[in-house]
């Protein structure tokens, strides 16, 4: 879980930085989207490196979900009777419970998101428009409900990251009594920065700061 989660966090950092290029204007953003497809040219054909990255992402997501299911099965097998004290959950209890359901909702969001901005099936502008035009059309003020959907999904991603990064520190054996506070702050900071970074684009378009 920790290793595939780490790969996905790296993707999210890169994706957030790329998205923020929209604030530099249409030309910069479209240039960046074009570069994603031409990376490695002429050494390798059009879209080769992007396809390798996409396959890597799919593998990471599948392994991440497979680990989640097998860990949950192992936990149930180890303790078939539920804990009586479970209701008096610990500090991270809320985030823990939302991991499973949150993960499923995030997956549904990603499927919508790919249909929207990668395959253009549900995008108002479709495949003939530029990447900038597609994002601006997507979060136009009259489509506030799409922005709301993205905001909810991004907040869930943020919660998932907060708990996930913290758990990863534990799984990788990095946690000790001395550094516990630092690692908690680090997990929270990374999640908050990514959440705000992702929220910025849909909100900026809906409120007319990017058009
Ligand atoms: C909320 C603000 C977001 C915006 C504005 C946004 C925008 C975009 C755009 C424009 C693309 C197409 C890139 C291209 O092919 O040129 C894309 C692809 C993608 N996004 Fe997002 N995204 C956002 C959030 C997220 C989140 C939170 C996730 C994951 C949890 C995510 C996962 C993906 C994936 C997996 C792809 C496909 C990458 C590929 O085709 O290689 N995005 N996004």
């Amino acid at each position: 879980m920790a290793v595939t989660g780490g790969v996905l966090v790296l993707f999210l950092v890169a994706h957030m930085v790329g998205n923020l290029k929209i604030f530099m204007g249409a030309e910069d953003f479209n240039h960046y989207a074009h570069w994603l497809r031409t990376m490695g040219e002429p050494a390798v054909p059009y879209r080769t490196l992007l396809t390798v990255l996409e396959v890597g992402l799919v593998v990471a997501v599948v392994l991440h979900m497979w680990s989640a299911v097998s860990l949950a099965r192992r936990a149930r097998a180890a303790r078939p009777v539920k804990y009586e004290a479970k209701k008096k959950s610990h500090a991270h209890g809320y985030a823990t419970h939302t991991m499973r359901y949150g993960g499923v909702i995030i997956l549904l969001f990603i499927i919508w998101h790919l249909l929207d901005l990668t395959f253009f099936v549900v995008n108002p502008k479709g495949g003939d428009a530029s990447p900038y035009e597609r994002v601006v059309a997507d979060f136009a003020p009259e489509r506030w409900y799409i922005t709301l959907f993205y905001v909810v999904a991004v907040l869930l991603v943020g919660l998932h990251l907060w708990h996930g990064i913290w758990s990863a520190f534990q799984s990788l054996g990095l946690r000790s009594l001395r550094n516990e506070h630092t690692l908690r702050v680090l997990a929270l900071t990374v999640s908050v920065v990514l959440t705000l970074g992702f929220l910025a684009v849909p909100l900026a378009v809906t409120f007319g700061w990017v058009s």
Side-chain angles (χ1 to χ4, degrees):
M1 289 242 69
V3 173
T4 51
V7 170
L8 295 171
V9 170
L10 288 182
F11 162 74
L12 285 178
V13 171
H15 189 23
M16 182 202 71
V17 172
N19 284 351
L20 292 176
K21 288 213 160 51
I22 207 154
F23 292 104
M24 295 166 75
E27 202 181 316
D28 277 31
F29 188 71
N30 290 336
H31 181 234
Y32 160 71
H34 178 70
W35 171 79
L36 283 177
R37 288 155 182 77
T38 54
M39 273 186 289
E41 275 188 0
V44 290
Y46 182 74
R47 232 184 172 289
T48 305
L49 283 191
L50 184 62
T51 306
V52 170
L53 286 177
E54 286 169 349
V55 171
L57 262 186
V58 171
V59 171
V61 169
V62 170
L63 288 180
H64 197 67
M65 291 185 326
W66 175 77
S67 312
V69 172
S70 50
L71 276 177
R73 279 212 189 121
R74 224 195 291 169
R76 217 177 310 135
R79 174 78 203 201
V81 182
K82 282 192 173 179
Y83 283 112
E84 283 301 320
K86 203 175 167 192
K87 284 195 195 89
K88 294 177 198 153
S89 208
H90 46 86
H92 265 269
Y94 178 70
T96 311
H97 290 305
T98 57
M99 287 309 271
R100 207 167 295 169
Y101 308 106
V104 173
I105 298 171
I106 292 167
L107 184 67
L108 293 176
F109 159 73
I110 293 173
I111 293 173
W112 170 271
H113 185 52
L114 291 179
L115 291 174
D116 182 4
L117 289 166
T118 298
F119 300 112
F120 325 133
V121 188
V122 295
N123 187 274
K125 285 276 181 180
D128 294 333
S130 70
Y132 183 90
E133 286 170 330
R134 277 192 288 267
V135 172
V136 169
D138 222 1
F139 305 118
E142 63 275 14
R143 282 166 57 89
W144 58 269
Y145 48 92
I146 296 291
T147 302
L148 185 64
F149 169 51
Y150 268 74
V151 167
V152 171
V154 168
L155 290 176
L156 276 174
V157 171
L159 260 188
H160 199 85
L161 283 171
W162 177 37
H163 183 72
I165 294 171
W166 169 243
S167 304
F169 287 147
Q170 177 120 338
S171 309
L172 297 172
L174 298 173
R175 187 182 149 190
S176 71
L177 265 184
R178 232 172 344 127
N179 67 11
E180 167 150 357
H181 179 70
T182 314
L183 293 185
R184 274 191 193 281
V185 173
L186 190 61
L188 187 65
T189 309
V190 174
S191 329
V192 169
V193 169
L194 280 168
T195 305
L196 295 179
F198 277 116
L199 287 180
V201 176
L203 291 177
V205 175
T206 304
F207 287 105
W209 301 318
V210 168
S211 57

